[in-house]
Amino acid sequence: MAILENIRKRTTVLILIIGLALFAFVISGIFTGNDFGGAKIGSSIAEINGEEIPIDNFKRKIENANRFGNNSSLQIVNSVWDQEVRSTILAQQFEDLGIDIEQDQIINFIKTNPAYSQNPQFLDDSGIFDEAKFRDFIADLKNNAPRQYDLWLQDEQNIIQRAKEQTYFNLIKAGVGATLKEGEIDYKLANDKVDIRYVRVPYTSIADTTITVTKGEIDAYIKEHKEDYKQEKARDIRFVYFEENPSLGDEAAIKEEISQLLEDKIDKAKDTTYVELGFRNTKDVAAFLDENSDVKFDTIYKAKKDLPAVFADTLMTLEVGQTFGPYKDADTFKVSKMVNRKANGSVKASHILIAYTGAERANPEVTRTKEEAEEKANEVLKEALKNGADFALLARDNSDGPSAPKGGDLGYFQEGIMTPKFNDFAFGNNEGHVGLVETEFGYHIVRVDDKEDIVQIATLVRAIEASEETSNKLFTDATKFEMATTTSDRAFEEIAKESEYAVRPVNKIKEMDENLPGLSAQRSIVQWAFNSETAVGDIKRFNINNGYAVVQLTETYEEGVMSSEEASAQVLPKIRKERKAAQIISANQGKSLDDFAKDNNISVATASALTVKSPTIPGAGNEPLVVGTAFAIGQDAVSGLLEGETGVFMVAVTKKEEATKLDNYSTYANSIKSANAGKVFSAVYNALKEASEIEDNRATFY
């Protein structure tokens, strides 16, 4: 913050320096001659330091942002808002300081962006960015692809903005430094050490119940610390959620429905009998599932581990053509039918790869010849074939393959996954067999670890959903509750309790919030809560995903300083702490360290090698005032009573150790300079934003 304070104090000097460092260039459509910003028309989404941000321009940016990513609409609004506020505040600074960007500066900036500088269509025969090709591309967009050209215009403005920001922040960073004396001080703060004896009477030794704090005292405290108790506009609500879930009757009906699909249907007409084959006997499972299942036929063969864990054992034992079910799996009922089985269709194997120079995907660090690789592979194979050989250890020590850290384990795989020769070896040999295979990757010592069947299973699936009857009842219940709470003098919570409904509170909702705990994204509820016509106590029913919510507004908070009621939870502990400190200090004035300990039934403790930069006292916590005082008093001196973070302290210095003097403190000075320079981007912008007058109208439009 010291950097920002110096910047504020030297604003005029900074403007003068930047003004001397730069010439004012004219920038207006560097490539195009157009002002992308356009005229200010319609209502404004914001006013920043007196400058209006037109809603039309803002909406266009929202539309463009919507084309990318999967964020919610409000997340995109807030993201574009943050960008707009930042670019506007900084643009005002650029204008005040005369920072403009010329055409060659933009080209230079583009050359540093990999999206352009590494794009093959903009490179010459030597692989170097070709400015002429880039300009021709933009001209072609303008003439033949107007939509892409509009997107380029936005990119151009972003490039100009980033180039200006780079210039602006580089100028500020150039003025950030640190002297050798600052480096020396920083070194000493971290390396000067002090040992102490101390006594701490913790604040917890006085019960909170013995400290009486009045509302007037809380008000006075808030008045003295206004900056600590500022608040944004906020709302408290509570709600009852009527969630649409299937009833037990719905579950039973769906189970019965899927059970009936198992069997054949016989339709007897006047002269003929028609049989519609059920799932058990159908000859075309794919067509049957297309017509009757929520999930289509999955033709992929699966190993046991890929089947639902609870039912995998049962499913794997089915014979071809046999069915199992109905069974409940999560929110569905299922019937599964074994369509086909491949015995030993999945193999688990481990291998040790001995690669050589020139083999496919060989690590550049491998320098052995093919002959040397074959010789080594045969040596490792002999070791692997010995009784008691540790194959995993041999793999870790010898394999050039990526599976080496896992002991060569390749896991399970089906036919066709591995390279042909490796595949044939793995599927053509029995479990436990170890042998040598040559492929394009080198020589493999392969062990067949396991084999298992894979199965093709067709599954008839029906989601367990609420019936129309259940949905209608839910609507009726929600409506009745809404009417009861809006027409009765009884409390919202009392009526809910009577019907055994759970009331859920949500506190301190902000005006641009979207997600509400327990209800997820419900922007309409937030907008209603902040509507000027909605009063505390008002109730409304909202249709939400998977049900209804009956919501009551319970409290409003306006922007400004908190009231005593709102801040009491934060203020009370601080006032109590001050009172306790005063009591302890008053009762122990003039006492020695040992008397202070004895009279409060506390032992004298010790702490060694304390530093100012890490002022933590073991057993007492972070105590910067106490540690700082220990450094400030002399050797063998005793402090007075100190109001610490966790209690009242008295400290006696037993040893002081100064850090070894260095010949040069430039390393520490450079570290301070780098740390301060790294803070410039965020610290300067945050200071500018804090000092700006921003009228936020987002809630009006979104």
Side-chain angles (χ1 to χ4, degrees), residues 162-201:
R162 290 199 298 273
K164 286 183 177 182
E165 287 185 19
Q166 188 179 75
T167 300
Y168 176 74
F169 286 116
N170 283 345
L171 286 166
I172 296 175
K173 285 171 68 176
V176 174
T179 65
L180 290 176
K181 191 63 180 176
E182 288 177 291
E184 180 183 356
I185 292 170
D186 187 63
Y187 169 75
K188 288 177 69 62
L189 291 176
N191 294 282
D192 283 355
K193 295 180 173 62
V194 65
D195 295 352
I196 63 171
R197 295 173 68 236
Y198 72 93
V199 175
R200 178 185 67 130
V201 177

Side-chain angles (χ1 to χ4, degrees), residues 464-484:
I464 301 172
E465 298 175 335
S467 64
E468 184 176 351
E469 180 183 354
T470 299
S471 297
N472 290 340
K473 182 179 184 305
L474 188 75
F475 173 77
T476 301
D477 290 344
T479 304
K480 284 182 177 178
F481 178 71
E482 179 192 20
M483 293 178 65

Side-chain angles (χ1 to χ4, degrees), residues 32-74:
T32 65
N34 292 328
D35 181 2
F36 184 73
K40 297 176 183 176
I41 52 176
S43 302
S44 62
I45 187 74
E47 186 175 302
I48 302 173
N49 296 325
E51 179 180 346
E52 289 191 354
I53 308 301
I55 184 61
D56 297 338
N57 288 353
F58 190 81
K59 284 182 176 178
R60 278 199 293 273
K61 293 178 181 179
I62 294 293
E63 290 170 4
N64 291 327
N66 267 321
R67 299 174 186 171
F68 310 100
N70 297 313
N71 292 331
S72 71
S73 57
L74 193 62

Side-chain angles (χ1 to χ4, degrees), residues 532-549:
S532 59
E533 296 181 1
T534 304
V536 171
D538 283 1
I539 295 167
K540 185 175 180 180
R541 174 174 52 82
F542 291 86
N543 297 347
I544 62 175
N545 294 336
N546 207 36
Y548 309 92

Side-chain angles (χ1 to χ4, degrees), residues 139-315:
D140 183 63
L141 287 183
K142 183 176 182 180
N143 294 326
N144 302 310
R147 285 185 65 84
Q148 288 88 334
Y149 181 66
D150 286 342
L151 292 174
W152 157 250
L153 291 180
Q154 294 174 53
D155 284 345
E156 181 187 57
Q157 292 303 309
N158 290 333
I159 290 168
I160 292 169
Q161 179 74 9
R162 290 199 298 273
K164 286 183 177 182
E165 287 185 19
Q166 188 179 75
T167 300
Y168 176 74
F169 286 116
N170 283 345
L171 286 166
I172 296 175
K173 285 171 68 176
V176 174
T179 65
L180 290 176
K181 191 63 180 176
E182 288 177 291
E184 180 183 356
I185 292 170
D186 187 63
Y187 169 75
K188 288 177 69 62
L189 291 176
N191 294 282
D192 283 355
K193 295 180 173 62
V194 65
D195 295 352
I196 63 171
R197 295 173 68 236
Y198 72 93
V199 175
R200 178 185 67 130
V201 177
Y203 297 129
T204 53
S205 63
I206 300 175
D208 286 350
T209 53
T210 65
I211 308 294
T212 303
V213 181
T214 67
K215 180 178 179 297
E217 288 170 330
I218 295 175
D219 288 334
Y221 188 93
I222 294 170
K223 190 174 182 180
E224 291 176 11
H225 303 84
K226 286 182 180 179
E227 291 300 313
D228 296 333
Y229 298 99
K230 285 185 176 180
Q231 68 178 8
E232 301 176 51
K233 288 173 67 175
R235 299 290 185 267
D236 290 349
I237 64 168
R238 57 186 173 187
F239 67 90
V240 171
Y241 181 24
F242 293 83
E243 187 175 8
E244 186 173 272
N245 289 318
S247 66
L248 293 176
D250 295 335
E251 281 197 27
I254 293 166
K255 184 177 181 180
E256 176 61 24
E257 186 179 318
I258 203 172
S259 297
Q260 290 179 6
L261 289 170
L262 261 173
E263 309 304 334
D264 300 342
K265 291 181 181 178
I266 300 175
D267 184 10
K268 292 185 178 181
K270 183 176 181 181
D271 300 319
T272 183
T273 298
Y274 173 72
V275 178
E276 182 181 344
L277 297 178
F279 186 52
R280 195 188 306 278
N281 297 319
T282 183
K283 306 302 180 186
D284 189 344
V285 293
F288 188 91
L289 294 182
D290 279 347
E291 184 176 348
N292 297 288
S293 175
D294 292 340
V295 178
K296 294 183 181 296
F297 179 39
D298 184 355
T299 59
I300 296 174
Y301 282 79
K302 292 181 171 61
K304 180 179 177 180
K305 66 180 179 62
D306 301 317
L307 301 176
V310 176
F311 307 101
D313 288 334
T314 302
L315 293 173

